[in-house]
Amino acid sequence: MPKVTVDGQEIEVPDGATVLQACELAGKEIPRFCYHERLSIAGNCRMCLVEVKPGPPKPQASCALPATEGQEIRTDSEMVKTAREGVMEFLLINHPLDCPICDQGGECDLQDQAMAYGRGASRYHENKRAVTSKNMGPLIKTIMTRCIHCTRCVRFSEEVAGVDEIGALYRGEDMQITTYLEQAAKHELSANVIDLCPVGALTSGPYAYESRPWELKKTLGIDVSDAVGSNIRIDSRGREVLRVLPRINDDVNEEWISDKARYQVDGLTRRRLDKVYIRRRGKLEAASWDEAFKKIAQAKPQGSIAAVAGDLVDCETMFAAKALLKASGSDLVESRQTGMDYDVSNLAAVNFNSTFAGIEDAQAILIIGSHVRWEAPLVNVRLRKAAKRGAKVFVVGPEWETTYPATFLGDDLSVLDKLPAELTDAFKGADKSAVILGAGGFAAGAHGAAIAVAEKLGAEFNALHTAAARMGALMLGFATKGGIADLVAAKPKVVLALGADEVDWSQFADSLKVYIGHHGDKGAHAADIILPAAAYTEKPGTYVNTEGRVQMSDKAVFAPGDAREDWTILRALADALGVTVGFDSFHELRAAMTAEVPALGNEGEIADYGAMPKAPKVAKASGTVGYPIKDFYLTNPVARASTVMQQCSAELLHGEEIKEAAE
């Protein structure tokens, strides 16, 4: 490890580190626009200039210069100060002075660094250049006159998202950053370029002119749009969530989030259930909480009550529902809404055992029944990293546009019985390999066969779920052996739908259907009684992602109207039914839950599910596999209520032109 001196302080730096990284290890702040830790080095903004000896007597770009033994680095000399002032002056020659109307104002790198490192005045009086703004779709608002050509957006699209959509045209003063052929950026991670842009050239379209950063309350949350459990920051003002941004967590989402996680939040204020409703004479009518509870109690459901958990539900809600059912003498619980009934006796067999960070090191990967780009865009980013390091990727299922080289083996599951030689050779030569079973594979009944294939290939088995609530539900035992079919066969008097919108409710025609949820979606349409509940931003909760990592979310805003947090509804329902559940506050509820399942109290840690079970003896798979997600942007009730997600679906997936109001 080389030793370098930074402003008189001698430090040791890792092999391969740059001068910029060495300076940061020494606690020095180095300004930069083009450099980003997760992107390749471009070295084109020149803001990170430092003085280095031995070397030429001129400032050097620290981001592109390797740190070597014996270097003397100065970050505070007069030469460096003058050089940075000069670079900033050049950057501002053409940059428009529109900070008061720029959405980046208050959180702009250019503003901050101009204040810290720039001169007090400009010597240029020539006209500034102007660049036409580009159409990058419904999510990204462009004002390209502000662009300083740092190329972060170009590198993100090519290197991380794996989609060659953004690039540079022309040269010198005429250079422009644009999407090729003036098309919208269509990939699932496109809006991350907004966070990367150090100026106001790429800003958030739906959030334009909404608020300033200092007006917002910032709350730590967990994304529920898929089972990755991305760490997010929820920015709210008053009772409304205005935007969602990613938080850095290298083990989960690094610092990216999907477009759906970022932009479905406008659906939190639309189609909301904010009153109690009871179905009378075939029509839902507004009612009071007392009326609803009395009607449920009149059904005398003791011993004959079932609960189905939806995809966005937190662990505390499921634990409260299970406690209510147990006190009522019932164990009819299920969370796999679409009727899947795979074996859940050993949770290692339904977990992403490689971990998201670990899958990057795999040298051979077999994906069974998963459109990873839509089901878990951030896992797809990890698979792309593995492929860039030389991993061979094979897919069983209908073809989809991958962002890395992949071999499709067809959509017939019989291929798992007789694997092609190309695949077996790739796995034989791999030190680390993985099999990933997606929701389509589970639905096609390939669970046992996939475990057998992983065993045969000596690979690690991984289950990739699509529901944020799934692993937490399985840890809490919120599943029956035969799936939803068992609940239907039991003919319960009352069915509690905890935000369950994907169930075929016609199966429960003779039951009193009570929907406890936050949106007037499919479940609410089928319900006999609607009890308005809180969405994921309106309550604290525990979520477990598909790799078994336990994460906790805080309450950002209050639920609208008469809506209440789910656990309080279930607690009040217990009183109405005359049973005791053993908790009167959220803290008591969480304490009871962690006492029963201690792993749910270990925030940030991956639960230990023990050893992987042996593959079942009869583990042959047959039939074709399909993918459950038909529209990436409309997978849950919040997204379906979001006008932004509806627009993305129409424009980006279905090629429809959005008409203006006058049309």
Side-chain angles (χ1 to χ4, degrees):
M1 289 172 70
K3 285 183 181 171
V4 299
T5 307
V6 180
D7 292 341
Q9 175 190 350
E10 189 176 73
I11 58 162
E12 235 180 2
V13 296
D15 292 321
T18 62
V19 168
L20 186 148
Q21 290 167 326
C23 294
E24 296 212 319
L25 284 172
K28 302 292 178 184
E29 184 185 4
I30 302 292
R32 84 289 297 267
F33 292 111
C34 67
Y35 175 80
H36 191 277
E37 291 80 359
R38 299 184 200 277
L39 303 175
S40 62
I41 293 166
N44 55 8
C45 77
R46 317 310 284 178
M47 195 63 211
C48 63
L49 295 172
V50 294
E51 191 179 344
V52 181
K53 292 176 185 173
K58 63 176 186 178
Q60 300 197 60
S62 60
C63 68
L65 188 66
T68 55
E69 182 69 40
Q71 276 178 334
E72 285 181 41
I73 303 160
R74 292 287 304 276
T75 69
D76 55 0
S77 68
E78 196 57 41
M79 180 200 286
V80 171
K81 183 173 177 291
T82 307
R84 287 176 182 169
E85 285 178 356
V87 169
M88 181 57 71
E89 197 172 5
F90 273 120
L91 285 173
L92 295 176
I93 289 172
N94 282 314
H95 194 80
L97 296 174
D98 53 4
C99 298
I101 58 146
C102 176
D103 272 316
Q104 197 89 338
E107 48 191 6
C108 174
D109 290 354
L110 190 65
Q111 271 185 339
D112 296 342
Q113 292 182 40
M115 287 292 291
Y117 303 102
R119 294 176 77 246
S122 172
R123 291 170 290 179
Y124 286 86
H125 304 289
E126 288 79 8
N127 292 332
K128 293 176 182 281
R129 75 171 194 152
V131 180
T132 53
S133 292
K134 309 294 186 287
N135 174 22
M136 289 198 187
L139 302 180
I140 305 167
K141 179 186 171 191
T142 65
I143 300 180
M144 299 314 288
T145 301
R146 298 173 185 159
C147 180
I148 61 167
H149 303 155
C150 70
T151 68
R152 279 186 184 182
C153 54
V154 178
R155 284 174 286 147
F156 172 82
S157 297
E158 287 179 4
E159 296 164 16
V160 179
V163 180
D164 244 351
E165 284 186 340
I166 303 177
L169 296 179
Y170 317 124
R171 299 180 66 182
E173 194 188 24
D174 296 324
M175 182 174 164
Q176 297 181 28
I177 303 291
T178 180
T179 51
Y180 295 120
L181 307 176
E182 290 282 320
Q183 287 182 334
K186 290 184 179 177
H187 59 87
E188 306 75 35
L189 300 165
S190 64
N192 286 292
V193 298
I194 295 164
D195 297 332
L196 286 172
C197 185
V199 296
L202 305 177
T203 56
S204 174
Y207 177 69
Y209 308 127
E210 282 288 324
S211 75
R212 287 300 191 189
W214 54 84
E215 301 172 340
L216 303 173
K217 185 181 92 175
K218 298 162 180 64
T219 311
L220 306 184
I222 300 298
D223 169 47
V224 296
S225 65
D226 55 30
V228 173
S230 300
N231 288 211
I232 56 173
R233 192 185 87 196
I234 303 160
D235 286 359
S236 57
R237 185 177 60 197
R239 298 189 70 155
E240 188 179 354
V241 174
L242 291 183
R243 67 174 179 179
V244 156
L245 296 175
R247 282 189 289 134
I248 296 176
N249 186 330
D250 285 339
D251 295 326
V252 183
N253 58 305
E254 298 178 287
E255 61 184 271
W256 323 119
I257 53 171
S258 72
D259 291 351
K260 183 166 51 180
R262 188 186 298 262
Y263 285 117
Q264 68 176 6
V265 291
D266 73 310
L268 292 168
T269 56
R270 293 178 171 84
R271 296 191 202 163
R272 284 304 298 267
L273 299 172
D274 57 358
K275 287 191 187 78
V276 177
Y277 290 93
I278 295 177
R279 194 176 293 278
R280 297 187 178 107
R281 297 175 296 280
K283 188 179 175 186
L284 286 167
E285 295 176 1
S288 68
W289 285 98
D290 282 345
E291 285 177 276
F293 287 146
K294 273 178 191 161
K295 185 158 184 186
I296 297 167
Q298 280 166 9
K300 295 187 178 159
Q302 275 80 351
S304 183
I305 181 169
V308 183
D311 291 348
L312 314 184
V313 185
D314 56 294
C315 292
E316 284 82 359
T317 298
M318 290 185 280
F319 181 80
K322 202 175 174 197
L324 173 63
L325 264 64
K326 189 178 178 184
S328 303
S330 171
D331 61 354
L332 297 171
V333 292
E334 187 51 72
S335 59
R336 297 164 294 180
Q337 299 180 69
T338 50
M340 290 191 278
D341 60 351
Y342 48 84
D343 181 19
V344 293
S345 57
N346 187 321
L347 293 188
V350 288
N351 186 51
F352 201 93
N353 297 298
S354 295
T355 73
F356 299 152
I359 199 76
E360 293 179 14
D361 300 323
Q363 294 162 337
I365 300 164
L366 171 62
I367 302 167
I368 303 168
S370 179
H371 185 332
V372 188
R373 244 183 101 169
W374 280 7
E375 292 172 21
L378 294 160
V379 174
N380 197 57
V381 167
R382 305 279 191 174
L383 296 179
R384 176 170 161 75
K385 280 193 194 177
K388 281 171 83 176
R389 292 172 183 172
K392 297 269 195 303
V393 182
F394 301 88
V395 186
V396 176
E399 290 199 20
W400 46 278
E401 197 178 327
T402 59
T403 56
Y404 38 81
T407 305
F408 283 85
L409 306 174
D411 58 2
D412 197 320
L413 288 170
S414 60
V415 73
L416 298 179
D417 295 331
K418 197 176 179 198
L419 296 166
E422 183 191 357
L423 184 145
T424 51
D425 290 347
F427 274 79
K428 211 177 281 176
D431 295 331
K432 185 176 179 183
S433 56
V435 169
I436 298 173
L437 180 68
F442 276 114
H447 189 205
I451 293 173
V453 165
E455 212 173 86
K456 181 180 169 186
L457 295 172
E460 204 158 20
F461 176 79
N462 300 285
L464 184 60
H465 299 294
T466 55
R470 186 62 41 82
M471 281 309 290
L474 298 180
M475 286 174 76
L476 288 164
F478 215 89
T480 55
K481 197 169 183 185
I484 288 279
D486 275 9
L487 272 60
V488 175
K491 295 189 176 171
K493 290 178 184 173
V494 173
V495 181
L496 300 179
L498 307 172
D501 293 288
E502 316 302 330
V503 179
D504 177 8
W505 289 111
S506 62
Q507 302 171 96
F508 295 95
D510 301 327
S511 306
L512 179 71
K513 297 178 280 294
V514 181
Y515 184 77
I516 302 172
H518 41 81
H519 275 79
D521 208 76
K522 301 169 193 171
H525 285 284
D528 300 309
I529 296 173
I530 293 174
L531 305 177
Y536 68 104
T537 55
E538 297 156 4
K539 59 186 174 184
T542 303
Y543 298 92
V544 185
N545 74 357
T546 192
E547 58 175 355
R549 190 181 301 277
V550 178
Q551 302 186 109
M552 291 175 188
S553 180
D554 291 332
K555 178 177 181 172
V557 293
F558 287 94
D562 291 338
R564 298 288 179 268
E565 290 180 30
D566 308 53
W567 75 269
T568 61
I569 298 171
L570 294 161
R571 176 66 188 81
L573 184 53
D575 285 347
L577 297 177
V579 298
T580 308
V581 288
F583 55 83
D584 294 315
S585 70
F586 182 77
H587 295 294
E588 287 178 16
L589 165 61
R590 186 171 268 178
M593 180 182 78
T594 51
E596 187 172 305
V597 186
L600 289 174
N602 301 329
E603 186 179 3
E605 292 181 23
I606 292 177
D608 183 7
Y609 299 131
M612 185 73 194
K614 288 278 179 196
K617 287 228 166 67
V618 183
K620 289 204 168 189
S622 60
T624 56
V625 66
Y627 303 132
I629 295 177
K630 306 297 180 208
D631 190 323
F632 169 72
Y633 297 103
L634 304 175
T635 55
N636 64 62
V638 182
R640 287 191 284 266
S642 161
T643 53
V644 178
M645 290 295 97
Q646 289 169 19
Q647 189 178 353
C648 286
S649 171
E651 278 192 45
L652 304 181
L653 287 186
H654 304 297
E656 296 173 21
E657 283 188 25
I658 299 296
K659 294 190 173 180
E660 299 294 335
E663 296 179 75

